[in-house]
Amino acid sequence: MCEVTPTMLLELPLDERSPSRARRFLRGAICPVHAASVLDSAQLLVSELVTNGIRYAAPPISVRVDCDGSAGLRVTVSDGGTSSFPAPRQAGEHEESGRGMTLVDYISEDWGVEPQEEGKAVWFSLAT
């Protein structure tokens, strides 16, 4: 991991302000040396994952930010939900939602879902 920036973790409540809190947290937690170039993309994706956690999962919701040096940034959003794992899908032209995981799939270098003791963790990585 990075010698410049330690791993950072934020717990979030289940409310509509949490995506904004996650973006603000990410701005402060992101490594200024290795990962600042991917901040805009990271903020969009963390917002999508936190929103999914609020809509479809259960508390607790947390955001973890890891810098892997020059290899890039990894962001993990965990929740206590036992619902099915998220996956990209084709949202209809007139649907107001359903594009979050498609954005994660398209923008990130890699992403995945890992089961946890209680819930799941959805992560993405961005190359710097």
Side-chain angles (χ1 to χ4, degrees):
M1 285 301 165
C2 178
E3 307 83 33
V4 178
T5 305
T7 296
M8 302 286 283
L9 184 66
L10 173 69
E11 298 230 357
L12 294 165
L14 276 183
D15 74 40
E16 69 278 351
R17 294 176 300 221
S18 287
S20 174
R21 289 179 180 140
R23 290 189 302 272
R24 188 170 44 252
F25 168 72
L26 188 62
R27 285 192 299 270
I30 202 164
C31 179
V33 174
H34 301 114
S37 64
V38 296
L39 178 60
D40 290 341
S41 294
Q43 287 185 114
L44 171 63
L45 300 183
V46 78
S47 187
E48 293 294 335
L49 293 182
V50 169
T51 298
N52 282 353
I54 291 167
R55 286 187 181 164
Y56 307 113
I61 294 179
S62 65
V63 177
R64 178 182 167 139
V65 179
D66 294 291
C67 176
D68 194 10
S70 60
L73 172 73
R74 181 173 165 132
V75 177
T76 305
V77 176
S78 300
D79 64 62
T82 57
S83 63
S84 62
F85 286 0
R89 69 178 189 91
Q90 286 294 113
E93 182 179 334
H94 300 288
E95 289 183 80
E96 292 184 17
S97 64
R99 293 170 183 82
M101 292 310 300
T102 301
L103 286 171
V104 171
D105 187 50
Y106 182 75
I107 294 171
S108 69
E109 195 73 26
D110 196 13
W111 71 276
V113 183
E114 298 170 354
Q116 295 186 321
E117 194 171 305
E118 291 187 31
K120 63 188 167 301
V122 182
W123 60 270
F124 66 85
S125 61
L126 295 167
T128 55

